[in-house]
Amino acid sequence: MRRIKNPWLHKEGYDCFGCAPENPIGLHMEFFEDGDDILCFWRPQEHFQGWIGVLHGGIISTLIDETAGWVVMRKIQAAGMTARLNVSFHKALHSDEVQITIRAKIQDRRRNVVTIHVTVENAHNEVCAEGEVSYFVLSEEKSREMGFTHCDVEGDNLLPF
């Protein structure tokens, strides 16, 4: 497993709600590559709840959407944008979970649209939500215009904790 380097860290104006480490109200997501999968190990917090003690569905959807974007950046080496996001909620995720795991990989690719399957697991490895994300992949030229050049990893076999 290898940690993915954040390609946006030194870009002026970068303040992504999902992955910017300095966003004071953000999710501070970090990503790892494990074979075909992109993973995020994330610790919920009380202020991301919907109902008392339950993680808000919009936050879960954001975790799914953000992870899909990192699949595109790392596996396709391009920027892009969400075209469609379908989320199925199977079981409540509690806001006091020690850690949840978001796992995503490419399911299908047709020209410039990639379909990504994403699962969200609680600390007991139970799938609590699944997402199917259609992502519009930008051309290399458009990706560069947005400031994206490449998405690398750090070393080999790094553990997330």
Side-chain angles (χ1 to χ4, degrees), residues 8 68-69 71-73 75-83 109-114 116 134-149:
W8 306 108
V71 169
V72 170
M73 286 191 297
K75 296 300 186 180
I76 299 176
Q77 293 293 315
M81 60 191 73
T82 305
R109 182 170 185 185
R110 295 174 194 248
R111 300 170 102 183
N112 59 351
V113 177
V114 176
I116 301 155
S134 295
Y135 221 83
F136 180 78
V137 179
L138 298 176
S139 67
E140 183 178 341
E141 179 183 341
K142 288 290 184 188
S143 292
R144 287 190 187 283
E145 284 177 22
M146 287 185 65
F148 180 84
T149 56

Side-chain angles (χ1 to χ4, degrees), residues 54-93:
V54 177
L55 200 58
H56 193 285
I59 296 296
I60 295 169
S61 298
T62 301
L63 294 168
I64 289 169
D65 186 38
E66 184 72 16
T67 305
W70 280 72
V71 169
V72 170
M73 286 191 297
R74 176 64 191 146
K75 296 300 186 180
I76 299 176
Q77 293 293 315
M81 60 191 73
T82 305
R84 189 183 72 220
L85 172 66
N86 292 320
V87 179
S88 298
F89 301 96
H90 305 302
K91 183 176 181 162
L93 267 165

Side-chain angles (χ1 to χ4, degrees), residues 1 28-32 34 39-43 99-103 158-161:
M1 184 174 317
H28 306 144
M29 297 171 74
E30 293 184 290
F31 299 91
F32 299 84
D34 187 22
L39 295 101
C40 174
F41 304 97
W42 188 74
R43 181 167 289 151
Q99 174 178 281
I100 64 174
T101 302
I102 305 99
R103 180 182 306 273
L158 296 177
L159 297 177
F161 8 82

Side-chain angles (χ1 to χ4, degrees), residues 1-3 5 153-158:
M1 184 174 317
R2 300 175 295 172
R3 181 185 303 274
K5 294 179 183 179
V153 293
E154 297 176 2
D156 283 328
N157 298 324
L158 296 177

